[in-house]
């Protein structure tokens, strides 16, 4: 049996693991092999201390939502307006799906994650192939999240449709030459 002080330290360790995973998956050299080594430990700590770990995940999701809002407030045409998540954020979203039950309709961590994923797909503007790659990864996350519950995600269907339209060859040279 652990002393109360050790339990508190393990709760802090869980939040440090989450932050460290974000750090090691950041560019320029993301190290995803380390994430695979840390994930079982994070899952064990999440099962032992779900409330504290959930609070930390929700804090990270809130920060991601704030960054998305900031990028959207800069305007759709501003090339510096970053709206799509980076590698570390995408890794965090993947870890949430691996750590928490995604089949629940209302969940303290997964429900805000679904809202954020939908916002990324529905509100972010595609400007490059890396944006398409981020969106496709988010679509696969939605597929994994909704696999058991069999829920339809309209944002994912709309994004996939628009991605096909972006990537299909066409003869239009400018936006003005598009019909309609």
């Amino acid at each position: 049996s652990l002393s109360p002080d050790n339990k508190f330290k393990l709760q802090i360790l869980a939040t440090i693991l989450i932050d460290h995973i974000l750090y090691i998956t950041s560019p320029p050299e993301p190290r995803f092999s380390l994430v695979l080594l840390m994930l079982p430990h994070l899952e064990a700590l999440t099962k032992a201390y779900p409330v504290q770990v959930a609070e930390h995940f929700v804090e990270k999701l809130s920060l991601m939502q704030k960054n998305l809002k900031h990028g959207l407030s800069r305007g759709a045409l501003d090339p510096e307006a970053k709206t799509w998540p980076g590698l570390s954020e995408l890794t965090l979203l993947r870890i949430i799906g691996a750590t928490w039950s995604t089949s629940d309709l209302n969940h303290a961590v997964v429900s805000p994650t679904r809202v954020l994923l939908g916002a990324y797909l529905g509100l972010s503007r595609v400007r490059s192939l890396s944006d398409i790659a981020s969106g496709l990864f988010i679509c696969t996350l939605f597929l994994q999240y909704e696999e058991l519950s069999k829920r339809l995600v309209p944002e994912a269907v709309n994004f996939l449709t628009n991605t096909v339209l972006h990537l299909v060859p066409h003869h239009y040279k400018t936006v003005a030459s598009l019909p309609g």
Side-chain angles (χ1 to χ4, degrees), residues 32-102:
F32 295 110
S33 59
L34 289 177
V35 174
L36 294 175
L37 296 173
M38 288 186 211
L39 194 56
H41 302 291
L42 180 61
E43 288 174 347
L45 289 169
T46 300
K47 286 179 182 159
Y49 309 106
V51 173
Q52 293 79 9
V53 176
E55 288 173 354
H56 196 67
F57 272 119
V58 170
E59 283 177 24
K60 297 298 176 189
L61 292 170
S62 297
L63 180 62
M64 291 169 66
Q65 176 69 31
K66 191 182 298 184
N67 290 341
L68 175 62
K69 269 186 184 176
H70 179 69
L72 292 172
S73 69
R74 294 187 74 175
L77 299 178
D78 185 358
E80 298 298 316
K82 183 181 177 319
T83 53
W84 290 99
L87 281 176
S88 57
E89 291 90 357
L90 290 171
T91 304
L92 180 74
L93 295 169
R94 176 65 187 103
I95 287 172
I96 288 171
T99 308
W100 300 96
S101 170
T102 58

Side-chain angles (χ1 to χ4, degrees), residues 10-24:
L10 285 173
Q11 293 170 8
I12 292 174
L13 176 64
T15 62
I16 290 171
L17 267 178
I18 295 167
D19 291 338
H20 189 63
I21 287 171
L22 287 171
Y23 173 74
I24 64 173

Side-chain angles (χ1 to χ4, degrees), residues 156-178:
V157 173
N158 190 36
F159 178 82
L160 292 171
T161 303
N162 286 330
T163 299
V164 168
L165 292 175
H166 277 299
L167 297 176
V168 130
H170 54 80
H171 62 278
Y172 302 108
K173 300 291 183 209
T174 64
V175 174
S177 64
L178 287 171

